Amino acid sequence: MRLELRGVSTFYGKIEALKGVDLFLDEGEIVTIIGANGAGKTTLLKTISGILRARAGTINFKGESIEAYPAERIVRMGISHCPEGRKIFHALSVDENLRLGAFSRDNKEEINAELEDVFRLFPVLKQRLKQKGGTLSGGEQQMLAIARALMSKPKILLLDEPSLGLAPKLVEKILFETIAEINKEGVSILLVEQNAHLALQIAKRGYVLETGKIVLCDSCANLIKNEAVKSAYLGGR
Ligand SMILES: Nc1ncnc2c1ncn2[C@@H]1O[C@H](COP(=O)(O)OP(=O)(O)O)[C@@H](O)[C@H]1O
Ligand SMILES: [Mg+2]
């Protein structure tokens, strides 16, 4: 169940934000995309999930070309997007936020079982069930955003900057433990991060995106040792 992008270009008007991206994610993998602010990481995830349309290229999943499918159909096929900046509904309760994540499903029992699964991953959400999303701490909101994305029971989770704005301790908890746990349950993960240091420790393979182009693709073990990556993304470490 490989996800594969070939020659994908995405535009904002006349601005070409993705310039012929080739990328794949195999079943069970954790793959990261690192790149500076403005490199096109968010655009890439939005293009995969059908929020933005590729103007050129193909996106293949489960043997189908999905690049023209509506976002909702892509969710039903098993690709779920946890967006940058969390985008939870502040005025809705934790429970309501989570149930919205299950919009693509109608079996109540399955939805309830899925709720129990996300509570096992994030016990704090069960305690906050009736609380409004906007009253949660930053870390809890990020957990809610990830949990909501998992409510559609995806095969692939697209994670956009989960570490943004979190305390370092929580970054460790959310990025390391949670991502490893979700992956163990059989979900492939495409992780976008400005915090390259962390991302390269979590993922197995990585891509480096620069102004809309993939300039490097290698195992994370090699990327960490790469001089260009070190000086540009790892603070020279
Ligand atoms: N809605 C938009 N309209 C026009 N340009 C945009 C829009 N969103 C992003 N861009 C531009 O596309 C490029 C890639 O942005 P983005 O994908 O958000 O990068 P990243 O997530 O890597 O920071 C940037 O030059 C950005 O200014
Ligand atoms: Mg972004």
Side-chain angles (χ1 to χ4, degrees):
M1 250 194 262
R2 169 187 277 216
L3 172 73
E4 184 157 18
L5 281 70
R6 287 207 189 144
V8 169
S9 297
T10 303
F11 287 72
Y12 295 103
K14 287 182 178 160
I15 302 163
E16 190 174 13
L18 289 183
K19 302 167 181 164
V21 169
D22 295 324
L23 171 153
F24 69 90
L25 175 70
D26 267 329
E27 190 162 356
E29 274 195 309
I30 303 178
V31 169
T32 186
I33 298 158
I34 59 173
N37 196 15
K41 304 180 300 297
T42 295
T43 303
L44 178 58
L45 295 192
K46 285 182 173 174
T47 303
I48 295 170
S49 62
I51 298 167
L52 292 172
R53 287 279 157 246
R55 200 176 287 180
T58 57
I59 304 176
N60 207 275
F61 181 54
K62 291 182 171 172
E64 293 179 47
S65 288
I66 66 167
E67 68 274 357
Y69 286 7
E72 185 214 324
R73 182 161 175 197
I74 292 171
V75 173
R76 283 186 208 280
M77 285 185 78
I79 299 179
S80 192
H81 187 169
C82 180
E84 184 176 5
R86 298 153 200 160
K87 306 280 186 332
I88 59 156
F89 297 98
H90 285 224
L92 299 184
S93 69
V94 168
D95 189 45
E96 288 164 334
N97 268 282
L98 289 172
R99 287 179 191 278
L100 278 174
F103 77 90
S104 60
R105 314 168 65 192
D106 46 26
N107 183 321
K108 267 224 163 83
E109 278 173 28
E110 278 178 28
I111 292 170
N112 287 333
E114 202 53 38
L115 273 175
E116 288 307 318
D117 279 353
V118 301
F119 293 151
R120 228 169 291 136
L121 200 57
F122 303 115
V124 67
L125 294 182
K126 193 168 189 174
Q127 297 157 23
R128 303 270 190 275
L129 214 50
K130 297 292 164 218
Q131 203 170 312
K132 296 267 186 280
T135 67
L136 300 176
S137 71
E140 288 164 354
Q141 289 187 12
Q142 185 60 65
M143 291 179 209
L144 177 57
I146 295 173
R148 183 184 57 185
L150 292 174
M151 288 300 294
S152 64
K153 210 165 176 56
K155 293 306 292 174
I156 293 178
L157 178 63
L158 309 174
L159 261 181
D160 198 346
E161 307 272 7
S163 78
L164 212 66
L166 298 185
K169 259 191 183 167
L170 269 176
V171 166
E172 244 165 62
K173 165 99 184 141
I174 289 184
L175 285 187
F176 280 88
E177 292 179 24
T178 308
I179 292 176
E181 198 61 36
I182 294 168
N183 183 243
K184 241 192 269 164
E185 298 296 321
V187 181
S188 317
I189 294 167
L190 195 55
L191 170 68
V192 158
E193 262 293 337
Q194 271 186 64
N195 188 339
H197 194 68
L198 272 163
L200 290 173
Q201 290 180 64
I202 296 165
K204 189 184 83 181
R205 283 195 309 117
Y207 293 86
V208 179
L209 188 65
E210 276 177 16
T211 53
K213 278 192 182 144
I214 301 286
V215 294
L216 260 177
C217 161
D218 209 337
S219 69
C220 288
N222 284 340
L223 289 175
I224 288 170
K225 288 184 288 190
N226 182 295
E227 290 304 326
V229 171
K230 271 201 235 176
S231 66
Y233 302 105
L234 300 174
R237 275 181 286 194

